[in-house]
Amino acid sequence: MRTPKLIVWILAILLALSIWPLFFGQGGYFRLQELREQYAQLKAENAKLLATNQQLAAEVESLKTGQEAIEEHARHDLNMVRPGEVLFRISRPQRVVPGSQISADIINDPMYRPDASVATPIAPVKPYTPNEKELGVELPPKQKK
């Protein structure tokens, strides 16, 4: 009666070996769970990137069509002013970078110049006037006073 017990053990081992790839193989259950988690992460990242792309596309469209957006960009990012205006930069007490006397906000400021004083006015920008060559037409001669 020993052979039936041996046959049962052999069949149990064969069954375990045949089921093994279903759980631990390349296309098994655990690998499928891992891929599902990666899919969820990539889907969330795609949603964030899509929202960023839509925001940038709206900004580009605004810059192409609207003068207000262009003026806002020039004033805020490029510190441009209209003729006759004077731009003042006013400093306030700020956090200081450890080991330095320079404020953390100032270091990240694109207008930061180490040799400039704290509240100096920036000279107004001279308005641009195109010349005859750029316009492609002849302008009438200026009258002498």
Side-chain angles (χ1 to χ4, degrees):
M1 283 288 158
R2 197 166 176 147
T3 43
K5 202 174 194 183
L6 181 63
I7 292 175
V8 169
W9 274 105
I10 291 174
L11 288 176
I13 291 172
L14 288 174
L15 180 65
L17 289 175
S18 65
I19 292 178
W20 183 267
L22 292 175
F23 289 100
F24 303 104
Q26 187 174 7
Y29 177 77
F30 295 115
R31 175 71 176 147
L32 180 64
Q33 289 302 105
E34 182 182 318
L35 291 174
R36 283 184 179 156
E37 289 174 12
Q38 286 180 359
Y39 176 73
Q41 289 173 350
L42 290 174
K43 198 171 183 181
E45 186 178 339
N46 270 353
K48 288 179 188 175
L49 292 174
L50 180 64
T52 303
N53 282 348
Q54 289 174 345
Q55 180 183 3
L56 290 173
E59 186 175 335
V60 165
E61 186 63 31
S62 174
L63 287 172
K64 283 183 179 178
T65 59
Q67 287 289 38
E68 294 84 19
I70 294 171
E71 182 179 347
E72 179 185 347
H73 173 68
R75 285 177 168 273
H76 184 267
D77 296 335
L78 304 175
N79 291 324
M80 296 182 86
V81 294
R82 288 186 175 155
E85 291 182 342
V86 177
L87 176 66
F88 286 92
R89 295 182 55 89
I90 300 171
S91 70
R92 61 187 189 284
Q94 299 168 342
R95 297 182 314 270
V96 175
V97 175
S100 171
Q101 297 298 322
I102 302 172
S103 162
D105 295 336
I106 291 177
I107 290 176
N108 295 324
D109 187 355
M111 294 296 290
Y112 171 65
R113 293 183 304 254
D115 58 338
S117 62
V118 176
T120 56
I122 297 174
V125 177
K126 182 180 176 185
Y128 171 73
T129 53
N131 59 24
E132 295 174 10
K133 191 185 256 184
E134 291 171 344
L135 290 175
V137 295
E138 280 192 40
L139 297 174
K142 294 184 180 177
Q143 296 177 358
K144 294 182 180 178
K145 290 184 181 181

